[in-house]
């Protein structure tokens, strides 16, 4: 089973993923967690390039770098784990590419982006996607103490487009579960666990 988490920076994905992981393990399943971009030696190197504020990266190159990092992680690690029956949780997947590179940057047409995403993910699709929705203002407040990476320096208009992209995906795709991530951590976790447990019990 593949579970993905999506949302803009500061939406609390990391915290919610570790809480969910504990619950699924207590449920008796093996759980592996990876972040995108990252999770393999090649993908972590690509991540460093993508997030380095000194790097001037054109939108199409950016799209292809995120895709290259993904292809490596999925083929070398995620697919084999799923075949062994593990539950894999991804901190971001190709919905981030649609929201950030598609809606945010306008790197290529959305139909083209879908084809690239299918190639880079080796045809893999999530079973469940939790979209942790927060406003741009909340994201900025939560990220205040962090040093901005290259993506986070992209500005308010970019982030509004990204939020809109996630909202469109949430309205279109049945696997999406939108969670109000402005709420308290424990409340958010309860909602996520209720939905994941229902799926795991099927
Ligand atoms: P993270 O900070 O959540 O680990 O994600 C790294 C940054 O990369 C974040 O700003 C979102 C961005 N990103 C994209 O723009 N496209 C993608 O396909 C992915 C996976 C992440």
């Amino acid at each position: 089973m593949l579970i993905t988490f999506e949302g803009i920076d500061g939406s609390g994905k990391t915290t919610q993923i570790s809480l969910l992981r504990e619950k699924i393990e207590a449920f008796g399943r093996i759980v592996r967690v990876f972040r995108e971009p990252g999770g393999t030696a090649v993908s972590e190197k690509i991540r460093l390039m993508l997030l380095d504020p000194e790097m001037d990266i054109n939108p199409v190159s950016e799209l292809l770098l995120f895709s290259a990092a993904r292809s490596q992680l999925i083929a070398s690690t995620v697919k084999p784990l799923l075949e062994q029956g593990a539950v894999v949780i991804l901190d971001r997947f190709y919905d981030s590419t649609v929201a950030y590179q598609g809606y945010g940057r306008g790197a290529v047409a959305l139909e083209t982006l879908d084809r690239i995403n299918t190639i880079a993910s080796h045809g893999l699709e999530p079973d469940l996607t939790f979209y942790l929705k927060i406003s741009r203002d909340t994201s900025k407040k939560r990220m205040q103490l962090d040093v901005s990476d290259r993506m986070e320096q992209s500005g308010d208009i970019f982030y509004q487009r990204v939020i809109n992209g996630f909202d469109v995906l949430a309205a279109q795709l049945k696997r999406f579960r939108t969670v109000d991530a402005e709420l308290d951590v424990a409340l958010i976790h309860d909602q996520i666990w209720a939905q994941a447990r229902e799926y795991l019990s099927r």
Side-chain angles (χ1 to χ4, degrees):
M1 177 179 183
L2 176 63
I3 303 176
T4 60
F5 276 72
E6 300 286 357
I8 59 169
D9 308 77
S11 57
K13 290 181 279 92
T14 314
T15 308
Q16 290 301 330
I17 286 172
S18 60
L19 292 170
L20 179 62
R21 174 188 205 148
E22 282 172 25
K23 284 277 172 50
I24 300 179
E25 282 173 347
F27 198 79
R29 298 286 298 268
I30 290 171
V31 183
R32 297 290 304 276
V33 176
F34 302 96
R35 66 173 177 184
E36 273 223 59
T40 70
V42 167
S43 314
E44 288 291 337
K45 283 212 168 173
I46 296 174
R47 178 187 178 91
L48 288 177
M49 253 194 291
L50 277 165
L51 299 187
D52 182 351
E54 302 292 313
M55 293 280 176
D56 183 13
I57 307 180
N58 136 305
V60 175
S61 307
E62 180 181 286
L63 162 65
L64 295 174
L65 284 168
F66 278 114
S67 303
R70 172 165 309 130
S71 165
Q72 187 67 24
L73 174 67
I74 301 304
S76 74
T77 312
V78 173
K79 275 206 154 179
L81 282 167
L82 291 172
E83 278 155 21
Q84 289 159 26
V87 175
V88 176
I89 304 180
L90 291 182
D91 186 338
R92 299 190 181 283
F93 191 39
Y94 51 43
D95 300 315
S96 278
T97 313
V98 175
Y100 283 79
Q101 281 65 53
Y103 284 84
R105 300 265 197 249
V108 295
L110 292 174
E111 305 77 53
T112 310
L113 192 51
D114 280 344
R115 297 223 303 277
I116 294 172
N117 282 343
T118 304
I119 294 167
S121 60
H122 302 264
L124 190 63
E125 284 178 33
D127 296 292
L128 264 185
T129 299
F130 291 107
Y131 166 35
L132 272 48
K133 185 172 164 63
I134 54 167
S135 69
R136 171 66 177 145
D137 277 350
T138 303
S139 165
K140 278 207 288 206
K141 276 184 211 130
R142 292 186 185 170
M143 305 302 283
Q144 240 165 22
L145 296 177
D146 289 12
V147 181
S148 296
D149 64 37
R150 195 184 61 83
M151 295 303 295
E152 288 156 7
Q153 291 179 352
S154 301
D156 289 345
I157 294 172
F158 172 78
Y159 272 95
Q160 279 310 331
R161 289 200 214 111
V162 173
I163 292 172
N164 175 51
F166 280 128
D167 289 347
V168 171
L169 288 172
Q172 282 174 348
L173 299 171
K174 271 177 85 179
R175 65 180 160 83
F176 257 71
R177 304 284 184 276
T178 303
V179 180
D180 179 357
E182 307 270 348
L183 299 174
D184 178 75
V185 170
L187 271 178
I188 298 171
H189 170 63
D190 288 347
Q191 289 182 26
I192 290 175
W193 175 231
Q195 312 225 34
R197 186 180 47 202
E198 192 262 316
Y199 206 96
L200 284 160
S201 311
R202 280 182 194 176

